Amino acid sequence: MSDPLKVGVVISGRGSNLQALLDACNAAGFPADIVLVISNNPDVEGLRRAERAGVATETINHRDFDDRQSFERALTASMERAGAEIICHAGFMRIVTAEYLAHWHDRLINIHPSLLPAFPGLDTHQRALDAGVKLHGCTVHYVREEVDVGPIIGQAAVPVLDDDSEESLAARVLGAEHQLYPLCLKLVAEGRVKVEGDTATIKSAEGADSQILLSPAH
Ligand code: GAR
């Protein structure tokens, strides 16, 4: 078996998706390993989760830098020192520049709490309720310059119930996120995701190329 893919995770806060990735990477035979967790905010729960899992952490506070590029260069330098081959944004709430994107091109993935291209940006759950959609969910995708755009690796859908509040819907989606992100990281680490232009295709375990529908049940 080849060496596990070395993954760096970037967070801004609570880190529940980071926890799902830590738990997955901890399981025997998982094809990825988290080598460093960086937060742009100090003293957040996500950093404590990484420490509890015995994973190296750093705080790189964007407020300490003159501009986005110098913040991102510090982030990239730390990730490279740690040997990260791929970066997962997990609740990282900063817009990134073209320079950072070019450096990590097709090596940078993100989780977003909606079924993209619906509801990019913030407040996705309230906007889904306001729009009256009956299905909502989450997306894991490669990051491109436009916010919340990029080749989609996987999506998980959940129902929107008539009596949902923003909180109840967010909780249902978050449960799906925690299943989807490790699954997508596994596919990437196994080299089964092929990016061509604006789309990503998943190679099935048997060797045939196929688009697969990911659901939390997988
Ligand atoms: C998650 O719902 C994630 O999808 C979202 O922030 C939350 C972070 O929670 N990310 C974005 O909105 C990115 N635009 P977590 O820190 O508990 O993983």
Side-chain angles (χ1 to χ4, degrees), residues 4 22 30 51 72 84 98 114 116 118 135 143-144 159 197 206 211 218:
L22 287 166
F30 194 81
E51 283 159 15
E72 290 167 355
S114 78
L116 292 173
L135 278 177
V143 181
R144 294 288 185 262
E206 292 74 43
Q211 289 281 3
H218 275 75

Side-chain angles (χ1 to χ4, degrees), residues 10-192:
V10 189
I11 62 167
S12 290
R14 175 179 60 180
S16 70
N17 276 290
L18 164 67
Q19 187 70 58
L21 296 175
L22 287 166
D23 293 345
C25 290
N26 226 356
F30 194 81
D33 208 14
I34 298 177
V35 293
L36 179 62
V37 173
I38 294 178
S39 173
N40 67 307
N41 289 320
D43 303 323
V44 294
E45 173 61 18
L47 289 169
R48 290 190 282 278
R49 293 176 189 271
E51 283 159 15
R52 281 199 294 273
V55 170
T57 63
E58 274 183 41
T59 299
I60 301 183
N61 190 333
H62 63 275
R63 300 164 193 86
D64 295 339
F65 295 84
D66 289 338
D67 52 34
R68 280 184 199 277
Q69 273 96 349
S70 27
F71 161 67
E72 290 167 355
R73 282 176 200 149
L75 200 156
T76 290
S78 285
M79 286 298 186
E80 301 222 303
R81 264 195 305 277
E85 298 167 280
I86 185 170
I87 305 290
C88 289
H89 284 180
F92 176 49
M93 304 307 275
R94 303 285 304 162
I95 288 174
V96 292
T97 68
E99 179 182 303
Y100 178 78
L101 290 171
H103 185 91
W104 295 104
H105 188 73
D106 286 352
R107 299 189 298 148
L108 174 62
I109 63 181
N110 178 50
I111 187 155
H112 179 76
S114 78
L115 292 172
L116 292 173
F119 312 121
L122 300 175
D123 299 324
T124 55
H125 308 307
Q126 187 57 53
R127 286 158 61 210
L129 289 173
D130 293 345
V133 296
K134 305 304 178 213
L135 278 177
H136 185 42
C138 51
T139 302
V140 173
H141 63 99
Y142 286 96
V143 181
R144 294 288 185 262
E145 248 185 84
E146 215 176 318
V147 175
D148 299 326
V149 167
I152 291 172
I153 301 168
Q155 297 185 297
V158 301
V160 180
L161 307 181
D162 288 341
D163 60 354
D164 263 331
S165 62
E166 185 180 2
E167 291 71 31
S168 64
L169 183 55
R172 193 173 309 118
V173 172
L174 194 63
E177 292 185 44
H178 296 162
Q179 296 178 65
L180 182 68
Y181 212 170
L183 173 58
C184 290
L185 178 59
K186 180 169 183 285
L187 293 171
V188 169
E190 288 171 344
R192 290 169 58 192

